[in-house]
Amino acid sequence: MLTLARANYGPYGIDFPLGATGRFTNGVENLRNAQRLIGFQNFIPPFARARAPREVLRGVNFASGAAGIREETGNNLGDHASLSQQVTNFGNVVQVMLRYFRGDASLLNSYLGRCIFFSGMGSNDYLNNYFMSNFYTTSSDYTPKAFASVLLQDYANQLAKMYTMGARKVIVTSVGQIGCIPYQLARYTANNNTGNNSSRCNEKINDAVSMFNSGLKRLVQRFNGGTELPGAKFVYLDFYKSTSDLYRNSSQYGFEVIDKGCCGVGRNNGQITCLPLQQPCPDRRKYLFWDAFHPTELANVLLAQSSFSTQSFTYPINIQQLAMS
């Protein structure tokens, strides 16, 4: 794919044993940390390289840089696989697995029913769509409330489609506090603020994503509590609350810099994200953010730990309980 949403170059992966592999951080990302806590010893391969039946049985990563729930999201950065394409790719993998199970759909469904599906969508629909009015018209087409509503409708349809393909244990994440990332801090000044907001963050963006997050939690309640998707177990992972906790209590976690990327260019190291072969900050553990958008490895570790065995940021159960159910 031809895209600017890449992390397959140094210094991305500077603290990762395999170097730069496309992960948007200096080391291990949040999802991989969650996988390790569950018990996965090996890295889950990306869809582009996972083809053999025995290989896909260990899991597949369908993620695509800059992708969103809406089809057009991320087009400003180039090619990507949208959520609907990722779900289609999952369906293709299911057909590969069916051959491994010699056409026994019942046995395959039993296997898929024990798998955990992780979906963290929505942030790009705001960063690389709704709040990018020079490229997209969605902010003039929809109020923030209406945009959240159409996002959730599309999301619900794709999650239901995954269910028909065999997904039963599904973790969905809320959008994090993206009004506080270096990219937004670099663009936002007090002159843009129309209220008496003492926050350094762009609360207009945080307020908009909060509408989506509230609706997503209600969607989880709907899927778990009714007859719409019988046997489904959805978990809502509140990334907004957990990232806000890291931001507000940063010193307790050892972070000294919370408003700049460890690697980047311009104001807050957030106007241009980390460039190839750029020299990053020497002590990544002191930084909450790795680049203009993404957390450092330490932040990812803390985010994963906070949602694994406690319910401070998960609903209605935590990830460990979901894995054991």
Side-chain angles (χ1 to χ4, degrees):
M1 289 185 176
L2 295 176
T3 177
L4 296 175
R6 290 186 176 275
N8 59 347
Y9 56 84
Y12 284 97
I14 190 173
D15 299 312
F16 187 64
L18 302 178
T21 58
R23 293 171 171 83
F24 286 91
T25 187
N26 57 301
V28 178
E29 81 284 15
N30 176 60
L31 179 57
R32 173 54 190 159
N33 283 299
Q35 292 164 3
R36 288 197 297 198
L37 290 170
I38 292 171
F40 284 86
Q41 298 301 316
N42 299 315
F43 294 101
I44 292 178
F47 171 74
R49 295 205 304 264
R51 288 293 183 269
R54 283 187 176 274
E55 188 175 31
V56 300
L57 288 174
R58 296 194 296 268
V60 180
N61 187 342
F62 298 96
S64 179
I69 297 169
R70 290 178 66 90
E71 292 297 315
E72 79 276 8
T73 291
N75 283 348
N76 56 297
L77 293 172
D79 296 335
H80 61 275
S82 65
L83 175 61
S84 64
Q85 183 58 56
Q86 292 176 41
V87 173
T88 298
N89 292 342
F90 168 54
N92 294 334
V93 167
V94 169
Q95 293 306 308
V96 172
M97 296 175 71
L98 186 60
R99 293 197 295 272
Y100 178 84
F101 286 98
R102 301 183 183 277
D104 191 331
S106 178
L107 192 61
L108 172 59
N109 286 334
S110 177
Y111 185 87
L112 289 172
R114 299 194 300 272
C115 298
I116 293 179
F117 297 80
F118 184 98
S119 179
M121 303 298 292
S123 61
N124 282 317
D125 292 291
Y126 287 95
L127 290 173
N128 290 301
N129 192 327
Y130 192 73
F131 286 105
M132 191 171 281
S133 57
N134 60 326
F135 200 94
Y136 301 94
T137 63
T138 43
S139 61
S140 58
D141 295 337
Y142 302 99
T143 65
K145 183 177 180 180
F147 186 67
S149 179
V150 296
L151 277 185
L152 289 163
Q153 183 177 353
D154 291 344
Y155 202 7
N157 290 338
Q158 294 300 328
L159 292 171
K161 189 174 180 180
M162 288 171 55
Y163 174 89
T164 65
M165 297 174 181
R168 291 297 180 271
K169 298 181 180 182
V170 183
I171 300 168
V172 292
T173 71
S174 70
V175 175
Q177 203 178 24
I178 57 175
C180 301
I181 63 175
Y183 173 74
Q184 291 300 336
L185 296 179
R187 303 174 68 205
Y188 180 68
T189 66
N191 293 331
N192 300 125
N193 187 17
T194 57
N196 295 317
N197 177 21
S198 60
S199 171
R200 302 162 70 183
C201 305
N202 188 331
E203 296 303 336
K204 178 181 178 181
I205 295 178
N206 286 338
D207 289 344
V209 302
S210 292
M211 296 179 193
F212 171 83
N213 293 339
S214 297
L216 184 60
K217 188 173 184 178
R218 289 193 297 270
L219 181 64
V220 166
Q221 293 171 325
R222 188 183 103 194
F223 281 165
N224 285 339
T227 59
E228 189 174 353
L229 304 179
K233 297 177 181 178
F234 278 77
V235 169
Y236 172 78
L237 178 51
D238 195 341
F239 261 5
Y240 189 95
K241 189 176 178 181
S242 59
T243 56
S244 176
D245 175 62
L246 289 186
Y247 193 85
R248 294 178 184 279
N249 302 301
S250 55
S251 60
Q252 296 179 23
Y253 297 108
F255 296 116
E256 297 179 8
V257 183
I258 64 172
D259 60 348
K260 297 178 182 178
C262 170
C263 185
V265 178
R267 190 184 303 118
N268 300 87
N269 282 351
Q271 290 179 289
I272 300 176
T273 198
C274 193
L275 297 174
L277 305 180
Q278 184 179 350
Q279 187 66 36
C281 64
D283 191 350
R284 270 78 71 181
R285 296 180 64 85
K286 294 180 179 179
Y287 280 70
L288 178 59
F289 293 100
W290 161 248
D291 62 10
F293 302 93
H294 305 97
T296 55
E297 179 180 46
L298 176 58
N300 283 323
V301 168
L302 294 170
L303 289 170
Q305 291 175 343
S306 68
S307 60
F308 181 68
S309 58
T310 72
Q311 284 183 238
S312 300
F313 306 115
T314 60
Y315 172 87
I317 58 177
N318 60 46
I319 295 175
Q320 184 178 42
Q321 290 169 327
L322 179 66
M324 296 174 65
S325 65

